[in-house]
Amino acid sequence: MERQRRPREGGESTATVLIAGIGNIFLGDDGFGPEVVRRLPRHPDAGVRAVDYGIRGMHLAYDLLDPWDALILVDAIPDRGTPGMVEVFGAVPDDGDTAHLDAHAMNPAAVFAGVRALGGVLPPTVVVGCQVACVDEGIGLSTPVAAAVDAAVATIDEVLTEVLAAAAAQNATPVPPATAQQED
């Protein structure tokens, strides 16, 4: 399936980026993604959409059937370092991934499998994640993870700037050199 650009008013094309906050707010630090997306300022570019998906994996999978230029996943990440540490890394979905379509799962592998099962194509994906301290039942982020939310918002702004610049460069149409014409 080839991705088509969404036309902007006036026929110009614009990059489309989905920022998806994922996680369960009832499991402590797992609610990091939804909290970060809640604090994101509205982006002036109409092609940028930020959504708190929480634990609605199938909703995200269906939304990923639209032609996005990029996906930024915001999520809690376990066992990768010091609690509260914000990390950015690329998610490379494995086409041979053994994850299966699960309408109730909200982990990236299940969402990616859902998109593929529905016939979709995954956009390039960047994860902005935070190392968790605790994912026990309970509402609210731990102190180190709560302290990382503002840093994650700033990090998403940086990642988004890079993604939009790369999309603009990729979609730039070279302008042919001007030629002088003499009129008689």
Side-chain angles (χ1 to χ4, degrees):
M1 173 190 295
E2 185 175 321
R3 295 191 172 278
Q4 299 292 321
R5 299 248 176 256
R6 294 180 187 178
R8 191 182 253 185
E9 286 183 25
E12 296 177 25
S13 66
T14 181
T16 54
V17 180
L18 178 60
I19 304 169
I22 61 176
N24 188 335
I25 63 167
F26 297 109
L27 295 177
D29 290 344
D30 197 47
F32 175 79
E35 179 62 21
V36 171
V37 168
R38 187 180 70 78
R39 291 204 206 166
L40 285 174
R42 184 172 186 88
H43 197 276
D45 190 322
V48 175
R49 182 173 167 218
V51 179
D52 169 8
Y53 285 95
I55 57 171
R56 297 171 296 144
M58 279 307 294
H59 184 179
L60 176 54
Y62 275 106
D63 281 355
L64 286 172
L65 295 177
D66 287 338
W68 298 100
D69 291 304
L71 168 64
I72 300 173
L73 281 178
V74 187
D75 197 7
I77 50 177
D79 305 322
R80 290 183 60 116
T82 306
M85 183 175 65
V86 175
E87 291 186 57
V88 178
F89 54 93
V92 182
D94 181 5
D95 288 334
D97 197 343
T98 58
H100 62 283
L101 177 61
D102 182 346
H104 303 288
M106 183 35 139
N107 64 66
V111 171
F112 295 162
V115 172
R116 285 191 299 272
L118 294 166
V121 176
L122 292 163
T125 302
V126 175
V127 176
V128 175
C130 180
Q131 171 61 43
V132 299
C134 178
V135 290
D136 293 338
E137 286 186 16
I139 297 176
L141 303 176
S142 66
T143 301
V145 173
V149 171
D150 288 338
V153 168
T155 300
I156 290 168
D157 185 53
E158 293 169 11
V159 169
L160 187 55
T161 298
E162 291 174 17
V163 166
L164 291 172
Q170 181 179 9
N171 298 322
T173 306
V175 177
T179 57
Q181 292 183 349
Q182 184 176 2
E183 292 184 26
D184 291 327

